[in-house]
Amino acid sequence: MNKKHNIVIVGGGSTYTLGIIESFLAEKEYFDIAKISFFDTDEERQKIMAEASKIILKERAPDIEFYYTSKDKEKAYKDCDFAFIQIREGGLKMREMDEKIPLSLGCVGQETCGAGGISYGLRSIGSLFEIVRDIRKYSPNAWIVNYTNPAAIIALALNREFPNDKKIFNLCDMPLGIMEALANLIGKNANDFIPEYFGLNHYGWFTALYNKEGHNLMPDILKLLTKENIDTHKLNIEKSTEKSWEDTYSHLVTMCKDMPGSIPSTYFQYYLYPKKIVEKSDCNYTRANEVMDHREKIEFQKARQIISEQTSKNVQTIADLHGRYIIQVVNSLANNLGKTSIIIVPNNGTISCLPDDAMVEVDCYVDRRGPRPFNVKEISTFQKALLQNQYALESLVVESWYNADRQKLIEALALNRTVVNFNVAQKLADKLLEANKKWLPQFFN
Ligand code: NAD
Ligand code: G6P
Ligand code: MN
């Protein structure tokens, strides 16, 4: 019989919570759960997601013990086997700032790339450290799985602060999102793919997609992707209702044509075509506004309906891609399955042109010993330069946080392909630090 796991979700009030609960329930037979706890600093927000989750669990898995709190860290974190961190420091209101400040200076406004990602990263590092310390105090052996964004910067900071902690890893669902889109294009299931992928988070490339028989399907997929008049709706399955995601998938096709041979992360659109992205952006209505008007509203409406009807039977919650990815990885880990998944781990030689302490996103073998990366072979000069530049700037952000160093922050911004101009970097540094003053007192002493 499989072991039963205790899990904690930090950021229980997230818009992803219902999808994750649904994903856990879908895999309950394989990844058996004894107890789920939620912890969130926003008591009211979490209560809505938690009360709805409680009803879902009571109806579908009454054997799972459930608990939520905004205060009792000991009860939330004690004896857990897996801790999942999904917080949004400053909430969607601060995401709006991260996007609108850069746009006001003519730069890309995105929550994980460019100046917005740097702002979000600086704001979140301190809280992540506190959460990891709290978890470790009560559960020294738990696996800690972080997917809080900007995952690239958070992963680097966590690796620097906890270098000897070998049970923390970081995840991003975008590679699976792209694989599902590509699988859809050729009428297959993403689970049939064994990927080869390398880079940094939101900054990497697929170089091969093998099927179970060991044939690389990538050349055929690329041929299909880049042929004239491809219907990009075919690619975008889950996020198709939202305009900005529709555009993202059509840009993916453009990127495959412009950079033949591999399939890049969709996030490269911000770094490679920043001018086009800015021109298309509305500085009064960014992705944060779209999320507040769609995902956040929809998920909280669902939760409220479950609570008011005291049943989940009239509400459709789905095991979305995000939740499915998390469970796929932890299931392989807990049950020693040895599946290949794309995970953010310490480099240690995996990508030879990057230092050991870089946090790379690569295909990993996942079993009970945790994710172990496969070595990356050929990297073109162009890709090397992009990676080294991005690693340098992300390290400068972390460095700047530790030493309250405004100059390093300016350098990080200037190195970013969405900023480049040094004067703009200086202005951005001032504006971003001012907006994040509450979280970054060290810069104002
Ligand atoms: P959200 O704002 O809906 O939820 C985040 C929750 O975290 C809120 O309830 C908030 O109160 C709570 N929170 C904030 N600071 C906290 C702290 N210090 N301690 C405990 N709780 C805290 O956000 P969301 O849109 O659902 O996203 C949640 C996070 O997951 C974000 O960072 C998002 O970028 C990330 N995410 C990452 C991936 C990925 O691919 N890596 C995919 C999806 C979501
Ligand atoms: C992708 C990315 C995540 C991001 C998510 C939602 O899955 O990998 O890092 O958080 O999209 O982005 P959105 O703009 O819809 O909030
Ligand atoms: Mn991501």
Side-chain angles (χ1 to χ4, degrees), residues 88-292:
R88 184 182 287 289
E89 194 59 60
L92 285 162
K93 277 281 151 209
M94 282 307 291
R95 173 175 181 174
E96 205 179 342
M97 301 285 275
D98 296 338
E99 294 168 348
K100 292 184 177 174
I101 291 173
L103 277 174
S104 74
L105 288 166
C107 299
V108 168
Q110 211 283 327
E111 66 153 350
T112 66
C113 305
I118 291 175
S119 170
Y120 188 17
L122 283 175
R123 184 166 70 244
S124 310
I125 291 173
S127 290
L128 264 293
F129 288 177
E130 184 183 332
I131 291 166
V132 169
R133 273 194 204 99
D134 288 338
I135 295 169
R136 279 291 171 255
K137 183 168 168 195
Y138 299 111
S139 285
N141 292 314
W143 282 99
I144 298 180
V145 186
N146 174 63
Y147 37 91
T148 301
N149 270 321
I153 292 169
I154 302 295
L156 259 185
L158 288 176
N159 192 43
R160 173 163 168 174
E161 185 72 8
F162 307 101
N164 301 317
D165 193 325
K166 304 297 177 208
K167 293 188 84 172
I168 305 175
F169 62 88
N170 299 266
L171 274 189
C172 167
D173 59 27
M174 198 68 245
L176 179 64
I178 296 171
M179 283 201 288
E180 290 206 348
L182 300 175
N184 199 42
L185 188 68
I186 56 168
K188 297 249 185 277
N189 188 310
N191 280 329
D192 298 333
F193 290 152
I194 299 157
E196 267 182 18
Y197 182 95
F198 76 95
L200 303 167
N201 178 233
H202 290 184
Y203 212 85
W205 297 266
F206 285 95
T207 48
L209 287 163
Y210 292 99
N211 64 11
K212 294 217 161 114
E213 289 72 46
H215 300 300
N216 184 8
L217 304 178
M218 183 95 150
D220 287 344
I221 291 175
L222 270 174
K223 233 181 255 163
L224 265 179
L225 258 183
T226 52
K227 99 174 176 217
E228 284 306 304
N229 303 325
I230 177 195
D231 176 9
T232 48
H233 286 98
K234 260 190 160 179
L235 284 170
N236 185 8
I237 332 151
E238 202 162 273
K239 291 167 164 158
S240 57
T241 50
E242 293 173 323
K243 171 86 176 75
S244 53
W245 275 105
E246 232 174 74
D247 292 346
T248 293
Y249 276 92
S250 89
H251 291 159
L252 180 66
V253 172
T254 308
M255 291 193 286
C256 289
K257 287 181 183 159
D258 287 353
M259 293 189 291
S262 57
I263 299 180
S265 163
T266 49
Y267 282 86
F268 266 113
Q269 63 175 326
Y270 300 108
Y271 297 106
L272 298 176
Y273 316 102
K275 222 171 146 191
K276 185 164 141 200
I277 295 283
V278 172
E279 276 163 14
K280 281 183 129 191
S281 301
D282 176 352
C283 55
N284 296 310
Y285 193 83
T286 57
R287 177 69 191 148
N289 301 109
E290 207 176 28
V291 171
M292 288 186 248

Side-chain angles (χ1 to χ4, degrees), residues 241-429:
T241 50
E242 293 173 323
K243 171 86 176 75
S244 53
W245 275 105
E246 232 174 74
D247 292 346
T248 293
Y249 276 92
S250 89
H251 291 159
L252 180 66
V253 172
T254 308
M255 291 193 286
C256 289
K257 287 181 183 159
D258 287 353
M259 293 189 291
S262 57
I263 299 180
S265 163
T266 49
Y267 282 86
F268 266 113
Q269 63 175 326
Y270 300 108
Y271 297 106
L272 298 176
Y273 316 102
K275 222 171 146 191
K276 185 164 141 200
I277 295 283
V278 172
E279 276 163 14
K280 281 183 129 191
S281 301
D282 176 352
C283 55
N284 296 310
Y285 193 83
T286 57
R287 177 69 191 148
N289 301 109
E290 207 176 28
V291 171
M292 288 186 248
D293 289 344
H294 292 266
R295 193 173 65 234
E296 187 179 38
K297 257 200 192 122
I298 292 167
E299 292 303 308
F300 277 87
Q301 254 163 20
K302 282 185 193 170
R304 286 198 175 95
Q305 188 183 341
I306 294 171
I307 298 166
S308 79
E309 295 178 358
Q310 284 295 298
T311 174
S312 65
K313 71 172 196 289
N314 303 317
V315 175
Q316 203 196 2
T317 53
I318 48 164
D320 55 18
L321 180 132
H322 181 64
R324 278 185 278 122
Y325 191 46
I326 295 165
I327 191 70
Q328 173 190 312
V329 172
V330 296
N331 192 20
S332 187
L333 198 160
N335 294 315
N336 206 34
L337 302 182
K339 277 194 77 161
T340 299
S341 287
I342 297 164
I343 301 180
I344 305 161
V345 293
N347 185 31
N348 293 328
T350 306
I351 297 181
S352 60
C353 66
L354 291 174
D356 283 352
D357 68 353
M359 294 300 286
V360 294
E361 189 165 51
V362 284
D363 43 292
C364 293
Y365 181 84
V366 186
D367 66 6
R368 206 163 276 155
R369 288 155 63 196
R372 296 197 299 291
F374 292 105
N375 267 4
V376 177
K377 287 168 230 119
E378 283 158 52
I379 303 182
S380 73
T381 306
F382 177 62
Q383 289 167 329
K384 263 187 213 162
L386 284 173
L387 284 175
Q388 287 172 340
N389 180 74
Q390 185 74 3
Y391 163 76
L393 81 87
E394 287 169 354
S395 312
L396 281 167
V397 175
V398 176
E399 193 65 40
S400 133
W401 184 89
Y402 271 98
N403 300 307
D405 190 331
R406 181 175 170 275
Q407 186 60 27
K408 289 218 161 86
L409 172 59
I410 294 169
E411 289 169 6
L413 287 159
L415 281 176
N416 197 295
R417 290 181 56 87
T418 71
V419 179
V420 176
N421 188 298
F422 212 86
N423 302 124
V424 176
Q426 287 166 318
K427 284 188 193 140
L428 274 170

